[in-house]
Amino acid sequence: MDRGGKIRSFNIASELARRHEVDLFMFYPSTTPDPHDQLRDRFARVDCVPLDLPKRASVPDTLAYAANAATTRPYQMRKYCRPAVQRRLRELLSGEHYDVLLCDFLLTAGVVPWDLGTRTVLFTHNVETTIWKRHFLVNKNPLWKLVAWREYRTMARAERRFTEMADHVLTVSDEDRGAFLEFLPEEKVTTVPTGVDLEYFKPADKPQTAHSLVFTGSMDWLPNEDAIIYFSTEILPLVQQRIPGVTLSVVGRKPGRKVIALAEKNPAIRVTGAVADIRPYVHEAAVYVVPLRIGGGTRIKIFEAMAMGSAVVSTSIGAEGLPVADGKNLLLADSPQDFADRTVALLTGPAERQRLGLAARALVESRYSWNEVTNVLEKVLTQVAESNFSSMPSNRS
């Protein structure tokens, strides 16, 4: 439960399993001990295929990427969609009757035996093409720019192919839905909004630490790494000019060398690495920052912060697709100076922080519990299973 996508998948799958008979098929990097055994009490059946994968940016990973460069497949799909996974899923689908197969994330579509004809819904947590295009646009390293360009081009082909093959496509925002409607019929794509656990993420009674900032997220996800490097090098110095005692906590698993180096260069920055619970760090901070420049999809970190009553400053991309309003339940800023100005205004304005925090909590309480979100998904799955959509176009050739 250390990534937004995992949190979303776990909560929706768990809620569905309370209402229906749900089997869970998973493939993932192997780890010891395997935490997925804990899921067996929640689902009718759990089928796991752990994979021996090279670490990101290691020599074996680089060699595997080089070998894949001669193909037309995105590297992420080549890395995870192994023949053993494809064979196991085919065996499972051939031996059981399922009303619907729900593919969670695009890359899972790469192991589906489409010829079996199982009704299939593809849940896209991001528009992967958009993410890789933004990587290409913001990256200054020529080698990484080339890598991003190749993934962008190959991912565009894969994304179009698998969304056209699926019986229905789910997105997490209307912005993402609009991207797919450029080549898919309108009735084939449905938005399932982001949710949040309102009991787990709620405001705390303890006071905030003055002049403190926090950013949370998996630091091995490139958009998060880019965001915190951008904030620390271009925005934080502007804040420090006006509030010398400001601090920034970077909370999230697997920070890379570049992120760790930020704390070594600037004593105001604390990099925690993985933590058991992000809530104390968010409750402690006066302002929650989301300086994303790439990103896509769920944006679950903002909803978690809003549920805790935090005052949030975000880029437009960081809040893209969420039903938020600048100045009403968060603040938006897209240039370093504007982001710094709005952050300083909140650090020095406790009344404004309180107003935004109360409005943020009220928004997520209104209709974004996991129960409400799953209602939307359940309706789509039922209609697909019963073939009740007015049109169910799919191209599995």
Side-chain angles (χ1 to χ4, degrees):
M1 300 285 283
D2 53 12
R3 286 176 180 263
K6 291 182 185 179
I7 293 168
R8 180 186 182 91
S9 298
F10 173 81
N11 282 284
I12 289 178
S14 297
E15 185 63 34
L16 278 175
R18 281 192 279 269
R19 310 177 189 189
H20 304 277
E21 184 178 349
V22 176
D23 287 1
L24 191 61
F25 178 84
M26 303 164 54
F27 53 106
Y28 48 86
S30 60
T31 181
T32 304
D34 193 328
H36 299 95
D37 289 338
Q38 302 172 33
L39 297 171
R40 298 190 186 281
D41 292 338
R42 291 177 178 266
F43 301 93
R45 173 177 180 167
V46 176
D47 208 311
C48 298
V49 184
L51 303 173
D52 185 16
L53 300 178
K55 293 183 179 180
R56 183 166 70 92
S58 64
V59 172
D61 192 41
T62 302
L63 292 174
Y65 179 85
N68 187 67
T71 75
T72 59
R73 299 178 71 193
Y75 178 59
Q76 290 302 307
M77 300 198 82
R78 182 263 177 206
K79 184 175 181 178
Y80 286 93
C81 298
R82 303 292 181 85
V85 181
Q86 295 170 325
R87 287 193 298 270
R88 181 68 195 113
L89 182 57
R90 177 177 287 276
E91 291 171 2
L92 185 63
L93 294 177
S94 298
E96 299 279 351
H97 169 74
Y98 291 99
D99 297 308
V100 184
L101 172 65
L102 176 62
C103 292
D104 201 39
F105 288 91
L106 176 70
L107 73 83
T108 61
V111 300
V112 172
W114 295 94
D115 59 296
L116 294 183
T118 307
R119 288 284 184 192
T120 302
V121 173
L122 178 54
F123 201 154
T124 63
H125 291 244
N126 306 285
V127 180
E128 298 291 344
T129 304
T130 299
I131 291 179
W132 284 106
K133 184 177 182 180
R134 286 173 176 169
H135 272 305
F136 170 70
L137 292 174
V138 305
N139 215 304
K140 297 178 181 178
N141 182 299
L143 179 59
W144 275 109
K145 209 169 183 68
L146 179 62
V147 169
W149 179 84
R150 186 194 178 278
E151 285 295 295
Y152 158 57
R153 299 299 299 170
T154 55
M155 193 65 77
R157 288 192 291 269
E159 205 160 44
R160 180 159 187 160
R161 178 190 175 207
F162 288 121
T163 54
E164 288 179 343
M165 291 169 71
D167 294 291
H168 203 76
V169 175
L170 302 172
T171 64
V172 299
S173 72
D174 289 337
E175 279 76 5
D176 286 5
R177 181 173 185 266
F180 290 119
L181 291 184
E182 291 181 7
F183 54 86
L184 295 176
E186 187 170 343
E187 64 273 10
K188 189 176 178 176
V189 189
T190 301
T191 297
V192 177
T194 289
V196 65
D197 187 335
L198 297 173
E199 288 301 313
Y200 188 80
F201 296 103
K202 55 188 176 183
D205 294 330
K206 68 177 186 178
Q208 298 168 332
T209 301
H211 301 161
S212 58
L213 308 172
V214 67
F215 173 87
T216 66
S218 299
M219 297 314 302
D220 57 343
W221 195 50
L222 291 177
N224 284 339
E225 183 181 75
D226 173 81
I228 206 59
I229 292 173
Y230 164 62
F231 184 85
S232 300
T233 57
E234 299 190 36
I235 299 172
L236 185 59
L238 299 176
V239 178
Q240 289 180 299
Q241 289 175 10
R242 295 153 70 180
I243 306 178
V246 68
T247 62
L248 168 66
S249 294
V250 181
V251 182
R253 70 174 202 158
K254 296 185 178 179
R257 292 189 301 272
K258 293 179 181 178
V259 173
I260 293 172
L262 296 173
E264 295 171 349
K265 295 176 182 177
N266 188 339
I269 300 174
R270 172 178 59 162
V271 178
T272 68
V275 298
D277 189 349
I278 68 165
R279 292 174 298 175
Y281 298 90
V282 178
H283 285 144
E284 176 186 84
V287 178
Y288 186 97
V289 295
V290 189
L292 285 172
R293 298 192 297 173
I294 304 172
T298 303
R299 308 298 200 280
I300 202 167
K301 60 166 63 72
I302 287 188
F303 263 19
E304 291 176 347
M306 294 175 77
M308 286 186 274
S310 297
V312 176
V313 183
S314 174
T315 57
S316 297
I317 287 177
E320 191 176 57
L322 296 179
V324 294
D326 182 24
K328 183 177 181 181
N329 37 47
L330 88 173
L331 300 182
L332 297 178
D334 289 318
S335 71
Q337 187 63 60
D338 194 23
F339 206 114
D341 290 344
R342 306 206 88 174
T343 301
V344 168
L346 288 182
L347 288 173
T348 57
E352 179 65 359
R353 291 202 306 269
Q354 184 180 38
R355 183 189 70 80
L356 284 175
L358 289 173
R361 174 70 187 187
L363 172 67
V364 295
E365 282 182 339
S366 64
R367 58 183 187 277
Y368 296 104
S369 69
W370 287 119
N371 180 65
E372 292 295 325
V373 169
T374 306
N375 287 342
V376 179
L377 174 59
E378 182 183 44
K379 182 178 179 180
V380 172
L381 296 178
T382 301
Q383 290 176 311
V384 171
E386 298 174 353
S387 301
N388 281 346
F389 277 107
S390 58
S391 176
M392 298 283 293
S394 62
N395 179 10
R396 299 187 175 184
S397 59

